[in-house]
Amino acid sequence: MRGSFEYSYQLLISYFAEVRLVDPDLVFNAQTTSCKDKRFTRYFWCFGPSKKNYKLLRPVIVIDKKKLKGRYRGTLLTAIAIDPSKHIFPLAFLVKDSVTIKSWAYFL
């Protein structure tokens, strides 16, 4: 919320490392263009409870895409489902610099 976009994106890897301490089943994958500039191409994550409880959810998955605004434009892909109590249950997330057929295939 505060600070620069560069600093926020730099913190993502350390943020997910901290999350993995309390959620060892977290699935996280960050891909960057090179080791030198560390420009990201995509971040994917799925929290452990989402992965474990997937079979208990209703058999409909909603997938959505949202354009990100600001200095670093990109796209946020989300997959959600409805649990038996009719609550929204987040499944997976992908932040991508651009959406292509490859990125959709990777996300799905």
Side-chain angles (χ1 to χ4, degrees):
M1 290 176 31
R2 295 188 179 124
S4 67
F5 286 107
E6 294 90 356
Y7 182 68
S8 297
Y9 278 105
Q10 288 171 359
L11 290 179
L12 279 175
I13 302 238
S14 60
Y15 168 75
F16 284 109
E18 292 291 323
V19 171
R20 187 167 280 156
L21 294 175
V22 294
D23 182 7
D25 294 325
L26 171 77
V27 176
F28 172 69
N29 184 9
Q31 293 185 346
T32 57
T33 54
S34 69
C35 292
K36 183 180 177 186
D37 61 2
K38 291 285 187 186
R39 183 178 180 279
F40 90 96
T41 56
R42 67 181 170 204
Y43 286 109
F44 171 82
W45 68 96
C46 173
F47 296 112
S50 299
K51 190 171 72 170
K52 286 182 179 179
N53 296 322
Y54 173 73
K55 294 179 183 178
L56 304 174
L57 302 174
R58 294 185 180 205
V60 175
I61 297 175
V62 177
I63 299 170
D64 192 21
K65 140 182 126 160
K66 179 68 177 161
K67 296 267 186 195
L68 301 176
K69 298 179 181 179
R71 182 172 178 189
Y72 297 106
R73 302 194 187 277
T75 305
L76 171 67
L77 303 177
T78 58
I80 62 168
I82 304 296
D83 68 6
S85 300
K86 298 181 181 177
H87 295 112
I88 294 173
F89 196 83
L91 295 174
F93 306 89
L94 176 74
V95 176
K96 181 82 174 104
D97 58 352
S98 64
V99 176
T100 61
I101 292 175
K102 275 184 163 181
S103 64
W104 275 108
Y106 175 82
F107 182 64
L108 297 174

